[in-house]
């Protein structure tokens, strides 16, 4: 798993579904995949929720990604301590909001199953090609960033320069850890509808 690979799968799915110029909503690695797809294929707009790929992959960032990969490798090996640690990780860092409780519970229950994928994904985040700021800056489509500001891993302050460099980006901040659509669903839906209405008169 990597953003580039997910972008390939996304492109194939869109072809099979015969969808033209979709509005793509991507969260985390999915947001990076949406940006990569939009750099090569026509889309109507992007909705990006705490996407990856918008910071420089420095040696420190690479080491941090490797540390996260080691954490999930313990889950792949079914270490006894991984399940409670993974539960705490999601409860306090990723999806802390009450509205996300049901989804958080499903993710935690699948912790051992998804740990190998998360390990490999984190390894991909630490590689130079994970930096897609240049692709984002070249996009000429409306992009709405719906940012959960409590995110300690994908931090808005680090990503803000890349957002500012985009041609047609706008930003809305939400309380939450990593996924505004799960943590503030009513507010997210309201703001999404507002964004979608601006697309009706978009030139392209």
């Amino acid at each position: 798993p990597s953003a580039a690979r997910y972008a390939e799968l996304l492109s194939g799915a869109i072809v099979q579904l015969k969808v033209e110029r979709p509005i793509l909503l991507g969260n985390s690695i999915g947001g990076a995949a949406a940006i990569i797809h939009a750099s090569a294929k026509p889309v109507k707009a992007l909705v990006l929720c705490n996407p990856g790929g918008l910071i420089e992959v420095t040696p420190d960032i690479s080491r941090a990604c490797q540390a996260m990969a080691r954490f999930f490798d313990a889950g792949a090996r079914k270490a006894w301590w991984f399940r409670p640690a993974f539960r705490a990780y999601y409860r306090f860092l990723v999806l802390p909001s009450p509205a996300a409780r049901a989804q958080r519970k499903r993710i935690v229950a699948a912790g051992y199953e998804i740990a190998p994928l998360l390990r490999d994904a984190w390894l991909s985040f630490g590689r130079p090609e994970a930096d897609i700021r240049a692709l984002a800056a070249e996009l000429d489509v409306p992009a709405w960033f719906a940012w959960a500001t409590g995110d300690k891993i994908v931090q808005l302050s680090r990503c803000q320069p890349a957002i500012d460099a985009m041609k047609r980006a706008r930003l809305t901040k939400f309380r939450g850890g990593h996924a505004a659509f799960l943590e503030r669903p009513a507010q997210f839906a309201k703001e999404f509808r507002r964004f979608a209405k601006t697309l009706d008169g978009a030139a392209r």
Side-chain angles (χ1 to χ4, degrees):
S2 68
R5 175 57 178 153
Y6 286 173
E8 292 177 2
L9 296 173
L10 171 63
S11 297
I14 289 173
V15 169
Q16 290 298 316
L17 294 170
K18 299 180 180 179
V19 176
E20 296 182 0
R21 296 182 66 244
I23 298 174
L24 296 181
L25 189 157
N27 173 228
S28 195
I29 190 173
I35 291 171
I36 295 170
H37 174 87
S39 72
K41 304 289 184 180
V43 302
K44 187 171 186 178
L46 296 174
V47 177
L48 302 170
C49 303
N50 295 51
L54 298 182
I55 61 171
E56 179 184 2
V57 181
T58 64
D60 284 346
I61 292 296
S62 184
R63 282 191 289 271
C65 291
Q66 290 169 13
M68 292 298 297
R70 287 194 294 273
F71 172 69
F72 288 111
D73 186 58
R77 291 184 283 103
K78 294 184 169 54
W80 67 267
W81 55 264
F82 176 77
R83 187 181 293 278
F86 186 58
R87 182 184 299 112
Y89 169 71
Y90 258 86
R91 172 65 182 85
F92 296 107
L93 289 179
V94 184
L95 295 176
S97 303
R101 183 181 295 113
Q103 181 66 4
R104 184 174 67 235
K105 184 176 180 180
R106 284 190 287 269
I107 293 170
V108 169
Y112 285 129
E113 178 184 354
I114 63 178
L117 291 173
L118 291 170
R119 175 197 60 204
D120 294 347
W122 274 102
L123 287 173
S124 78
F125 300 155
R127 297 178 186 131
E129 59 268 26
D131 181 351
I132 57 170
R133 292 175 297 168
L135 291 181
E138 290 299 315
L139 292 178
D140 193 15
V141 297
W144 174 46
F145 286 84
W147 210 286
T149 56
D151 199 326
K152 300 296 190 297
I153 296 175
V154 186
Q155 298 175 0
L156 177 57
S157 60
R158 288 174 174 257
C159 300
Q160 188 73 61
I163 296 172
D164 293 341
M166 293 177 67
K167 294 180 174 71
R168 302 168 69 184
R170 64 178 67 186
L171 170 69
T172 305
K173 299 177 184 180
F174 297 82
R175 290 172 55 205
H178 190 60
F181 55 95
L182 289 173
E183 300 181 89
R184 296 287 181 268
Q187 182 188 0
F188 178 87
K190 178 181 177 181
E191 295 296 333
F192 171 77
R193 286 192 293 268
R194 181 178 298 176
F195 172 68
K197 285 180 181 178
T198 69
L199 304 177
D200 294 339
R204 52 186 178 275

